[in-house]
Amino acid sequence: MSTQLLTYLFVGASFALYIGIAIWSRAGSTKDFYVAGGGVNPVVNGMATAADWMSAASFISMAGIISFMGRDGSVYLLGWTGGYVLLALLLAPYLRKFGRFTVPDFIGERYYSKTARIVAVICLIFVSFTYVAGQMRGVGIVFSRFLEVDVETGVIIGMAVVFMYAVLGGMKGITYTQVAQYCVLIFAYMVPAIFISIMITGNPIPQLGFGAEVADGSGISVLEKLDTVLIDLGFGAYTEGSKSTIDVFAITAALMFGTAGLPHVLVRFFTVPKVSDARKSAGYALAFIAILYTTAPAVASFARLNLVDTVHNTSYEQAPQWFSNWENTGLVEWQDKNNDAVMQYSAGIDNEVTIDRDIIVLANPEIADLPGWVIALVAAGGVAAALSTAAGLLLVISSSVSHDLLKQTLMPAITEKQELLFARIAAAVAVCIAGLFGIYPPAFVAQVVAFAFGLAAASLFPTIVMGIFSKRINKQGAIAGMLSGLIFTFFYILYFKFVSPQLNNAEHWWLGISPEGIGFIGMLLNIGVAFVVSHLSPPPPAEVQDLVDGIRIPSGAAVAHSH
Amino acid sequence: MSQQPYRHAAENPSPHDHNDKKNITEKNATDYWRANLRLLATLLVVWFTVSFGCGILLVDWLDQFTFFGFKLGFWFAQQGAIYVFVALIFIYAWRIQIIERQFGVDDDAEEESL
């Protein structure tokens, strides 16, 4: 069977599975739609959270980014996993005990303020749409390379599938499809990783092969060889960094605190039956995530080494098959500058080979000479990663519109049935907007990713944590804190990414912190302002202090009410 | 962070029912919260040390040591810290449950996972 046919088969079968699950798990109430009825097993929820979290960026781009950044790529590995520790220790159990539907719900009630709720809704919608645009783009890329359909057609098919299970099933449908998507994506990631690890080092476990010797009898390790080879070609050593320590620190912190403040991840912990389950569930989620996140840096090093070996100083005539396959998509390019018909790869101006970082994962099966079904599997895995994250994001957007904006603020008189209908309409509208982003990607998609994490770190995360761990932070403090964190971070990123991109370098950054890391400073500012303003104004009312007391005690979550 | 005593209208704490799970006393709730904060502080120190400490601030110094073929600092930054993160969450889930039972604020009696 041809690879093309296999790919259609794999992607088609996975879509049929997702739609089947959607029909089986329709949502009957707002509680089903927002939090899957609140009865999800912690292991199942952990797996769904892992799929929710691991996006097209984790699946397709992360190994490639690390491959070309070397040690500096650790910011993503540490940042995108360390946040789960904060989530499990400081947020998830308390939000579960609080027992409502959305993140703005918590902020609105704890700070007894509609304004606080609306500020939270704005942060949430901005963060989620930024993120979802990237997912739809990922679906488009996978479709155009593997299925050879237009990006537009790919995005529309993807939208139709998400529409089916997000609009019909809400959180309930999303949870069970995400479990299936996790299985597809992790299998699709590990199979080629194991094969390439065997090919380079002879060790089938990528995490161990990463530190092992290259299987060419030379007796030097993968990382030593990579360092030597890259220095020869004029690059920096793979195991040494080029970013300043303060910037690496700030970026890692912004990504960690941002991860812990991302609404589509937080809301997953509203779905388990009780407080102790929320903690365990975060542990399972990170364990499932860690399988991919500890494999990615190994794949990154193998692929970079293999790339240099097979491409550098190879005559174009003898270029490997994958090279010409991917040349058609424009993701690899060769320009014969010195007219010797041989490809030279280096860091200098005489470099002739341009390689897009997404190649590292997408072309891995071909680079490692794996059979057609593995290539088909990677296509299905990439689509699963993008769709699962997109669905989670669309759900938090729709629930914050129907629940926080309509039911809790603008139209308190609507019935549950009407609220559920509005939730479905909001989800449908959000799917369409996300699709438009995918078809007509705004040129700034790559630039705004810093926004999503920076704003989540500067606004949502500290406000929720202070609401749990302090009883003194009041309405005035929380609103002032959120707004100052938000505005500071927003304008810093806006200035360096859009207003004066030519100044976007370490020389001009404040304290040497790049726009990617500024969310960390925004968070500190938020906390400082909230603390000062709260102490200059009256403490929160007694019933809010009682609410905080109640949240801190694990027992009694079952009686938490839905309104 | 201020420590206000736990009060709830339904509960009229009497000195003799400390171990009665249905009635959470003011003192148990406060003591539980203190014990929780201590545990959190310990675990977060470890969290900071393996990630920001070993993986970022001390990475160059640690790189002089070798660990299973890796430079040690590099290993922490790209592998080790992640394993410790997973362990930290499970350790917290396990330790805090023991503390909860000790103070009678656990959720054991509540609806089991479906």
Side-chain angles (χ1 to χ4, degrees), chain A residues 278-294:
Chain A
R279 293 192 286 252
K280 282 181 214 143
S281 193
Y284 289 117
L286 185 58
F288 289 128
I289 292 167
I291 298 175
L292 191 147
Y293 272 62
T294 52

Side-chain angles (χ1 to χ4, degrees), chain A residues 388-405:
Chain A
S388 58
T389 307
L393 290 161
L394 293 168
L395 185 93
V396 294
I397 294 171
S398 72
S399 53
S400 67
V401 170
S402 63
H403 184 70
D404 292 298
L405 221 54

Side-chain angles (χ1 to χ4, degrees), chain A residues 38-42 66 70-75 77-78 81-86 88-90 93-94 207-212 221 223-224 227 237-241 245 248-250 252-253 256-257 273-277 279-280 282-284 286-287 290 293-295 297-298 468-472 542 545-546 549-550 552-558, chain B residues 1-9 21 24-25 28-30 32-33 36-37 39-44 47-48 50-61 63 66-71 73-94 96-97 100-101 104-114:
Chain A
V40 180
N41 176 287
I66 298 167
R71 194 182 79 191
D72 285 338
S74 317
V75 295
L77 294 167
L78 293 175
T81 54
Y84 276 84
V85 176
L86 301 170
L89 270 52
L90 305 178
Y94 309 104
Q207 286 83 347
L208 299 178
F210 193 17
S221 76
L223 292 167
E224 280 165 354
D227 280 350
Y238 191 79
T239 58
E240 275 162 34
T245 302
V248 170
F249 189 100
T252 307
M256 271 196 199
F257 295 112
K274 53 186 187 175
V275 174
S276 52
D277 290 335
R279 293 192 286 252
K280 282 181 214 143
Y284 289 117
L286 185 58
Y293 272 62
T294 52
T295 305
I468 297 163
F469 286 86
S470 161
K471 289 189 218 168
R472 187 63 185 80
Q545 303 202 14
D546 285 347
D549 278 326
R552 291 178 177 182
I553 300 296
S555 53
Chain B
M1 287 167 210
S2 60
Q3 286 291 336
Q4 297 267 331
Y6 178 76
R7 22 186 151 69
H8 195 284
K21 286 195 173 183
I24 300 160
T25 65
N28 274 0
T30 319
Y32 162 73
W33 188 245
N36 183 30
L37 292 180
L39 177 60
L40 286 178
T42 317
L43 296 176
L44 288 177
W47 165 80
F48 183 86
V50 295
S51 53
F52 293 98
C54 301
I56 296 172
L57 299 173
L58 302 174
V59 66
D60 289 318
W61 183 78
D63 274 348
T66 312
F67 180 78
F68 284 105
F70 293 94
K71 290 178 180 175
F74 181 84
W75 181 79
F76 265 108
Q78 301 216 335
Q79 296 275 303
I82 302 174
Y83 300 130
V84 178
F85 292 157
V86 177
L88 282 175
I89 300 181
F90 283 109
I91 290 170
Y92 178 66
W94 166 56
I96 194 67
Q97 203 151 29
E100 279 163 18
R101 285 177 189 148
V105 295
D106 56 84
D107 60 0
D108 292 354
E110 271 142 47
E111 206 179 334
E112 281 305 310
S113 316
L114 298 174

Side-chain angles (χ1 to χ4, degrees), chain A residues 30 34 102 104-105 114 117-118 121 125 397-427 429 563:
Chain A
T30 48
Y34 294 142
T102 68
D105 247 351
K114 284 207 167 119
R117 189 191 282 266
I118 300 297
V121 169
I125 290 182
I397 294 171
S398 72
S399 53
S400 67
V401 170
S402 63
H403 184 70
D404 292 298
L405 221 54
L406 299 179
K407 173 79 183 171
Q408 296 292 320
T409 313
L410 300 174
M411 305 161 72
I414 54 173
T415 64
E416 196 198 311
K417 258 214 161 85
Q418 287 168 314
E419 192 186 335
L420 183 60
L421 179 68
F422 281 122
R424 290 203 158 111
I425 295 171
V429 173
H563 42 195

